[in-house]
Amino acid sequence: MPPHPETWLRVTPEGLHCLPGGFTVDPVRPVERAVVTHGHSDHARPGHGAVLATAETLAIMRARMGEGRAGAVQEPLAPGEAVVRNGVRISLAPAGHVLGSAQVCLEWQGSRVVVSGDYKRARDPTCAPFEPVPCDVFVTEATFGLPVFRHPPAAGEVAKLLASVELFPERTHVVGCYALGKCQRVVALLREAGWDRPVHLHGALMGLCRLYEELGVPLGDLRPATVADKAALRGAIVLAPPLAVADRWARRLAEPVVAVASGWMRVRQRARLRGVELPLVISDHADWAELNRTVDEVGAPEVWVTHGRDDALIHAMAQRGIRGRALHLIGLGDDEEEDAAPDPALAAEGAGA
Ligand SMILES: [Zn+2]
Ligand SMILES: [Zn+2]
């Protein structure tokens, strides 16, 4: 009988550690051997010895951390290919989260675990779609693991933005979005919706957009948003990091319409508190329905939940005969990325809505 995954995959202070393979998936502290699912800073940390990841994730890590800190040895692995480490077979499958994002599929002595990292099932023109891989244990996030979280089609949210631009042609629309993934997805969705004018970017967003383009994701005419030239930005769409949108930077634009693209915009109170006039529910994480559908599609009898609202998901899975286990991994979702947990009061509103 194949060994139960609990016997060879352990939660350590560094993260999810594969004992026979001698590596850790998405380690939160420097380790000798890391396997990294994607480039968000809660998953991809600096200072590891060897890093195995997709070529895109490795490029993103170099761009964000600098050549020297993104792993002393970088080991690119293409989705669909495999390597064997001390008898453990490692392969990667697309996670549909951001460019380069991958699920880590591990097989040891006939036992298979899939560590999905962060993922979504909605279409994203900037990255390969999630592929369900059958397994014995599926390791999932639960950032939006409450029934209240339903992400509407992103195209409809972008249509709201364009309708507002049409309605207020004198104002500057500034959209808060995270630098890795969300920003490029919003640009690509604007292009699909027919917006062929320039998209203006806060300086903090330009680098990763250029990298996406180098890696084969066309984004069209991108220009730096120079706040000094306020008049030129009338009627323009400006993308900026959420923090810049919240502070004085955005207020220097011409009568700004403040928008934020995030799954958390589903929680109305959160949008209100942040002074967001135009909340856009665009998320790079699975919503409640996607989480449950994915768990059913991979057919695992057991599911481990890394972070997020594990209680509701585990309860829902139990009703379908799936054994759930909360891993409470430390360090995921606690930084600037979208899976940062909202304030307890707002989570409570989400729970009650
Ligand atoms: Zn992520
Ligand atoms: Zn994350």
Side-chain angles (χ1 to χ4, degrees):
M1 210 168 95
H4 190 279
E6 260 171 10
T7 64
W8 58 276
L9 206 56
R10 291 275 170 82
V11 176
T12 66
E14 287 74 33
L16 205 50
H17 180 73
C18 176
L19 292 168
F23 55 83
T24 308
V25 181
D26 290 350
V28 295
R29 301 177 189 175
V31 297
E32 211 167 300
R33 291 192 162 277
V35 177
V36 171
T37 58
H38 67 287
H40 277 150
S41 52
D42 51 334
H43 300 257
R45 311 248 178 182
H48 302 308
V51 178
L52 184 146
T54 62
E56 290 87 353
T57 293
L58 293 173
I60 289 166
M61 287 177 74
R62 289 194 299 274
R64 302 194 102 181
M65 302 167 184
E67 201 79 37
R69 303 178 71 217
V73 180
Q74 292 208 325
E75 304 169 319
L77 185 65
E81 288 173 10
V83 290
V84 177
R85 289 283 148 77
N86 299 340
V88 180
R89 184 180 187 273
I90 309 171
S91 60
L92 303 176
H97 177 57
V98 299
L99 182 63
S101 64
Q103 310 170 71
V104 176
C105 313
L106 304 173
E107 280 179 73
W108 190 60
Q109 298 186 354
S111 162
R112 187 194 283 168
V113 176
V114 172
V115 185
S116 55
D118 293 335
Y119 65 97
K120 69 172 176 292
R121 305 302 301 273
R123 203 185 70 85
D124 181 339
T126 67
C127 65
F130 180 97
E131 280 172 19
V133 179
C135 51
D136 302 301
V137 165
F138 183 62
V139 184
T140 184
E141 54 141 327
T143 303
F144 293 109
L146 286 174
V148 65
F149 288 111
R150 292 182 307 270
H151 304 327
E157 300 299 290
V158 165
K160 281 184 203 164
L161 172 61
L162 291 176
S164 178
V165 171
E166 202 168 316
L167 198 58
F168 303 111
E170 294 299 298
R171 300 176 68 183
T172 301
H173 282 70
V174 52
V175 185
C177 47
Y178 295 100
L180 172 56
K182 187 64 59 68
C183 167
Q184 297 78 20
R185 186 177 178 210
V186 168
V187 175
L189 289 167
L190 281 167
R191 298 306 182 206
E192 286 189 344
W195 179 266
D196 51 11
R197 288 159 57 189
V199 174
H200 296 265
L201 300 177
H202 181 281
L205 302 182
M206 193 58 92
L208 282 170
C209 285
R210 293 293 178 227
L211 181 61
Y212 262 58
E213 293 206 291
E214 279 169 34
L215 294 171
V217 181
L219 297 174
D221 189 354
L222 302 177
R223 301 194 189 169
T226 316
V227 197
D229 196 8
K230 194 169 164 169
L233 293 177
R234 284 194 183 278
I237 296 176
V238 175
L239 305 189
L243 283 176
V245 167
D247 76 14
R248 271 176 312 185
W249 186 85
R251 316 229 182 281
R252 283 157 59 200
L253 297 164
E255 301 168 69
V257 174
V258 173
V260 165
S262 164
W264 296 114
M265 290 298 108
R266 180 74 180 75
V267 184
R268 285 182 298 274
Q269 192 189 339
R270 190 172 174 92
R272 268 201 309 276
L273 272 184
R274 289 171 60 177
V276 178
E277 195 174 334
L278 186 62
L280 303 172
V281 186
I282 301 178
S283 175
D284 288 328
H285 292 267
D287 68 5
W288 175 251
E290 290 173 60
L291 288 170
N292 282 284
R293 170 162 74 99
T294 303
V295 160
D296 291 342
E297 282 181 15
V298 299
E302 189 169 325
V303 172
W304 298 352
V305 185
T306 54
H307 65 294
R309 298 304 302 248
D310 47 31
D311 40 4
L313 183 60
I314 286 173
H315 179 75
M317 293 190 301
Q319 289 178 324
R320 308 200 293 278
I322 300 164
R323 183 178 167 228
R325 177 184 164 208
L327 297 184
H328 304 298
L329 290 191
I330 307 298
L332 293 180
D334 67 350
D335 64 354
E336 92 274 23
E337 309 296 352
E338 185 178 41
D339 44 7
D343 324 297
L346 300 178
E349 185 193 301

